[in-house]
Structure formats: C-alpha cells, structure tokens
Amino acid sequence: MAGLVLGTEPSWRRPASALLVVAGGVLGAWAILAMRLPRVTPWPEPQAGAELVMHGPYAWIRHPMYASLLLAGAGLVAHTFTVGRLAALLLLVPVLCLKMWIEEQALRARFPGYAAYAMRTKRVIPFVF
C-alpha cells in the first residue's frame, strides 16, 4: 500500500479514482471506530480481552479494513496507472486472503458465535464474497 500511495501523483484530476480512495478511507475509519482504536492491530489474531464485533460495517462484511485497503488501492492504481502498480495491488490480494484465513481460524477458535456470524456475512464484498 505504501508503494501505491507514494507513487500517486498529488493532483486528483480523476474524480472516480478519488471517490474510490475516499470510500476506502471512510470504510476503514468506520471499521476502526466500530472496533475501537485500542483493539486495532495489524496482526491477524485477536488480542487478549477482544470481543467479537458484529456492528457497523462488520454487520455486512467480516473484514472491512481489508476491503478498505483494496478499495483505496484500486483508486490509487486507477488514478496513476502503471503495470507495476497494478501488480502491487494484485499481490496484495493473496496476502490479505491469507491474513483473512489465519484471522478467521483464530476467531472461530476464540468465539463460539463466529461460525454463525461467518455464515450470514461475506468476507469483503457485501452479498458477493
């Protein structure tokens, strides 16, 4: 993500790509507020004393922070397109999928209600995936 941000031209002449970046930022901020900032961690394991969050964006998708990265990343690539930047975004997808898998295994083990929650929500795209 840092490479995508650093390689973006400072001008936002393309409103559609700016909208994707802003939407990703808003979704990420909403997810952080729903989870509460002190509980946010880059590691795909629940912290001690963690609670299963199922409100806010988590009511529709299980991984809104990862979705926000992909949304903003798509906007950054669309704004200043190069094959290298697209490759960087595409490389982020399997990394986030692996993190999701690890995180979901830990959440299933930690929270008895996680399996039912996972059955009624999608991972990153509401109603799709």
Side-chain angles (χ1 to χ4, degrees):
M1 268 313 278
L4 294 177
V5 170
L6 295 175
T8 301
E9 298 170 6
S11 146
W12 285 98
R13 296 178 305 248
R14 296 177 179 94
S17 60
L19 184 62
L20 286 172
V21 173
V22 169
V26 168
L27 178 59
W30 187 23
I32 288 169
L33 288 172
M35 185 175 279
R36 298 198 189 122
L37 187 58
R39 294 184 185 153
V40 176
T41 175
W43 310 114
E45 300 170 0
Q47 293 180 331
E51 298 171 5
L52 183 59
V53 177
M54 295 184 288
H55 61 277
Y58 295 91
W60 292 283
I61 54 176
R62 299 191 300 271
H63 302 283
M65 285 190 240
Y66 298 153
S68 74
L69 288 174
L70 294 172
L71 222 104
L76 292 169
V77 169
H79 182 270
T80 309
F81 182 82
T82 66
V83 173
R85 290 166 60 76
L86 177 60
L89 179 63
L90 293 177
L91 285 173
L92 184 60
V93 172
V95 169
L96 292 180
C97 285
L98 178 61
K99 283 185 75 172
M100 281 185 252
W101 184 82
I102 292 168
E103 187 174 329
E104 289 191 355
Q105 299 308 309
L107 291 169
R108 282 180 201 281
R110 178 91 174 265
F111 300 108
Y114 190 81
Y117 167 69
M119 292 293 292
R120 69 177 182 271
T121 57
K122 297 295 183 180
R123 282 192 174 94
V124 292
I125 304 171
F127 312 109
V128 179
F129 172 74

